[in-house]
Amino acid sequence: MMATTADPQTPARPAKPTLDSLSPSQIEAIRRIPPHDGGQKPTPIADWLEPVIKKTRPASIFLDRERFDLEQRSIFRRLPVPLMPSARLPEPGDAVAFDGYGPALIVARDKDGVVRTFHNACQHKGSKLIEQCEVHKAARFICPYHSWTYGLDGRLLAAARSEMFTDFDKADYKLSQLPTREYAGMIWGVLDPEVTPDWSAMEPEGAGGFADDMRHLGIPNAYLYGHKRFEIAANWKLVLEPFMESYHVTRLHASSIGDLFTDMASICTKLGPHQRKVAGKIQFQPSDLDIPGENIHKTVTHAYQVFPNGTIVTSPYYISMMVLMPIAPDKTNVDYYMLLPRKPDSEKAESIAARSYELILKVFGGEDFRAATITQEGLASGGLKTVTYGGMENTIPTYYDQLESHFLTNERG
């Protein structure tokens, strides 16, 4: 399952993604999108979803420390969680300090292309080995305190004046390593080294599921154009919710991108533990799907909820990936990544990428993340005991059912 980023079996995403560049599952879902005047309610369409609902959740799931701690030990310290796209470490020898989930870690790709995750702690006295959170080339890790030196595989290579330690064996001082796999163009880790990892949700190659979708979108071979860390004063689930529903789009984004969309039915599909929503933009017409060479993402948007805490959203010229990392009941780190099919190779391509990056940071940072923050503040006022979800938000309660199915109980451990 560990692999290099550039998989020769995976064609690069074309600069202009067309319908026939997508997976059979993606194409089938797109062809099910009804016309705007088709009479369907503007709700996600799937056999496990009710089109019109009024479902509630206690406001406490966004506020209580007890709930946050349960999520930490049941989900974020036990299940595989996304760390970053593979594109962040595209070449052998790339390494980065990573603290998105709180603990100080190192993520590195060795000379053979294998990605590993270590605690960022020298095994002598615990000093951080890497301090910079920017990707850099590394042949080895050298502790700045006493110069203990480690290989990219975590082995201790040298310790200064090791003869001054009794019965010293370098093999006893390997870096603490976390279970790590590279899958669907993302690097995943299990944040508790004592947990036996369960990778069963990562279906094999060619299974027609989530990984196939990501290959057809070009995620495994994508170029990372931009990355920004947001620190949001809100519960992580409030940050996630807007990316699972279309109810807010024309309203919250009225002054930015809202006029590109309309309230219409979307097609929702389960891909293992993940969800995919496919919806037409305001100009979508089913007949346009058969125009040769059309950029499919000018009229159709794919939005993925990557279980448990990631999102992927398509745009005509780039793909947005976000990893939402809970730090406290009311604090979330979000790493935003803009992925391109290839590095811009012209002034025009660079201009499009730069303008797109500026716009999406404004939309997500100034609108979606702001909505999460003001919702957190409102809930913290104690003004309501429950939150309510309607039909245009109907994937959210089902997601919470799925999340809570993993919660540990006294009987389960």
Side-chain angles (χ1 to χ4, degrees):
M1 190 69 69
M2 295 181 181
T4 59
T5 301
D7 181 353
Q9 302 300 317
T10 303
R13 181 186 184 227
K16 186 171 73 171
T18 58
L19 184 69
D20 58 6
S21 72
L22 300 178
S23 72
S25 174
Q26 290 168 320
I27 294 172
E28 188 274 337
I30 288 172
R31 289 200 175 277
R32 291 176 58 204
I33 301 173
H36 290 193
D37 58 357
Q40 285 88 355
K41 293 182 174 65
T43 62
I45 298 173
D47 57 9
W48 79 92
L49 298 172
E50 302 171 59
V52 179
I53 64 170
K54 187 174 78 172
K55 295 190 176 181
T56 63
R57 289 277 164 171
S60 61
I61 72 170
F62 307 107
L63 302 170
D64 289 357
R65 167 60 68 171
E66 183 178 353
R67 166 68 182 231
F68 177 83
D69 291 344
L70 178 60
E71 292 171 349
Q72 286 294 300
R73 65 177 182 270
S74 300
I75 306 295
F76 292 99
R77 295 296 184 267
R78 190 171 66 92
L79 301 182
V81 293
L83 304 181
M84 60 189 67
S86 297
R88 194 173 184 195
L89 301 176
E91 298 176 352
D94 285 344
V96 66
F98 176 72
D99 62 358
Y101 288 97
L105 305 175
I106 295 171
V107 188
R109 188 183 296 277
D110 73 11
K111 62 182 179 61
D112 296 320
V114 176
V115 175
R116 292 183 176 86
T117 305
F118 305 101
H119 285 107
N120 191 359
C122 178
Q123 297 300 291
H124 172 215
K125 296 181 75 171
S127 170
K128 278 187 174 182
L129 299 169
I130 301 177
E131 296 178 76
Q132 64 267 38
C133 288
E134 298 298 324
V135 175
H136 64 284
K137 288 293 183 185
R140 60 189 60 85
F141 308 128
I142 303 176
C143 178
Y145 197 175
H146 296 97
S147 298
W148 283 32
T149 301
Y150 300 85
L152 297 186
D153 60 1
R155 291 181 301 116
L156 179 63
L157 302 179
R161 302 307 303 262
S162 60
E163 74 276 8
M164 302 304 293
F165 295 87
T166 302
D167 298 326
F168 187 80
D169 186 345
K170 289 185 293 187
D172 295 335
Y173 293 90
K174 295 179 181 178
L175 292 178
S176 172
Q177 185 169 342
L178 298 175
T180 305
R181 286 201 180 185
E182 199 163 11
Y183 165 74
M186 285 171 272
I187 299 168
W188 301 73
V190 177
L191 300 180
D192 184 346
E194 302 302 320
V195 167
T196 300
D198 179 2
W199 307 108
S200 61
M202 298 182 177
E203 82 272 358
E205 298 288 331
F210 178 72
D212 282 351
D213 272 29
M214 296 301 101
R215 282 195 296 275
H216 283 82
L217 292 177
I219 301 295
N221 288 341
Y223 170 77
L224 176 58
Y225 179 82
H227 163 240
K228 181 176 175 62
R229 167 73 57 82
F230 291 88
E231 297 179 357
I232 304 170
N235 186 272
W236 71 277
K237 298 184 294 299
L238 293 179
V239 183
L240 177 63
E241 283 194 1
F243 300 98
M244 296 183 66
E245 50 94 344
S246 58
Y247 188 24
H248 77 284
V249 174
T250 62
R251 299 156 183 92
L252 178 65
H253 302 307
S255 62
S256 57
I257 61 171
D259 60 356
L260 300 176
F261 300 88
T262 187
D263 291 343
M264 66 178 295
S266 58
I267 308 302
C268 190
T269 307
K270 289 182 178 178
L271 300 170
H274 317 292
Q275 291 185 19
R276 179 187 67 205
K277 287 178 66 176
V278 181
K281 297 182 181 179
I282 196 165
Q283 72 271 35
F284 174 80
Q285 294 294 333
S287 58
D288 292 342
L289 296 176
D290 296 313
I291 299 175
E294 283 291 290
N295 184 330
I296 188 63
H297 290 137
K298 284 187 174 181
T299 57
V300 172
T301 297
H302 287 81
Y304 293 82
Q305 194 283 308
V306 182
F307 189 83
N309 60 314
T311 68
I312 293 173
V313 183
T314 62
S315 296
Y317 303 108
Y318 63 93
I319 291 176
S320 293
M321 179 185 295
M322 280 172 284
V323 181
L324 287 57
M325 298 165 286
I327 299 298
D330 58 355
K331 182 179 178 182
T332 303
N333 286 336
V334 176
D335 278 347
Y336 171 80
Y337 301 94
M338 176 182 277
L339 303 175
L340 303 180
R342 59 184 62 88
K343 185 177 181 179
D345 56 3
S346 68
E347 185 176 333
K348 179 181 179 181
E350 173 59 34
S351 175
I352 291 173
R355 286 186 282 112
S356 298
Y357 188 59
E358 181 180 3
L359 173 63
I360 203 66
L361 291 181
K362 174 186 174 184
V363 171
F364 287 167
E367 297 175 3
D368 291 290
F369 299 163
R370 172 179 170 269
T373 301
I374 61 176
T375 301
Q376 186 76 38
E377 292 170 350
L379 291 174
S381 75
L384 69 163
K385 297 299 184 185
T386 61
V387 296
T388 304
Y389 301 95
M392 293 183 71
E393 306 162 292
N394 63 5
T395 58
I396 297 176
T398 62
Y399 165 77
Y400 288 147
D401 289 342
Q402 177 187 4
L403 189 78
E404 291 159 4
S405 73
H406 291 277
F407 283 0
L408 297 172
T409 65
N410 290 334
E411 291 74 26
R412 291 168 57 190

